[in-house]
Amino acid sequence: MAARSTRNSHESKSEILKAALEVVRRSGAQSLTMDAVAEESGFSKGGVLYNFPTKDALITGMVEFLAGQFETEVSAARERNLSSECPTLSAMIEVTEGWLSEQRDLAQAMLATKADRPDLSEPFMGVKSRMKAAIEAELSDRGKAWAIWACLEGLHFSEAHCVTIFTDEERALVFQELRKRLTQLQD
């Protein structure tokens, strides 16, 4: 336990949030309790409560953490796609494809918590607003860019709501087509 006391508050919060997300990923939103998070994180229940005094505070922290993680991943992918005429949209395609493969179950589980808390959309809306502004600065043909983005949103929505009809292979074809259309946008 001595090692834990040397960590700063940000690291502790991050570890607790990662543990909470793992609880949700593994067992669903209904299993998210302070006790479950304490057990998963290795913190005492008091340590969890010190950082997140209520379950609502924990859920808000989880959503903010995910939004930040998404934005960080898009930013890194954008750097890898600087040769694209629209590096932000290229990055969004890349990151969304990864999240739908790796974070699908988490999106489905977190959706259950949003029903009672419409304000949970705010962190992602902030991220999306910044991405929209970046795309507007990069491209003049915004209609085509918005069509690609709307497709990404539709894929994410259908996965999160468990109403997708695409297999993984079919979804991969959609991403392939989106990349092709993005390339055509640049011609």
Side-chain angles (χ1 to χ4, degrees), residues 17 55-65 117 119-120 123:
L17 292 170
K55 188 174 176 179
D56 274 353
L58 178 63
I59 291 169
T60 299
M62 291 167 65
V63 171
E64 289 170 350
F65 181 82
R117 301 265 322 273
D119 63 305
L120 290 177

Side-chain angles (χ1 to χ4, degrees), residues 165-177:
I165 59 169
F166 298 119
T167 64
D168 289 345
E169 294 78 21
E170 291 167 334
R171 190 175 66 241
L173 290 172
V174 172
F175 280 103
Q176 182 180 359
E177 180 65 23

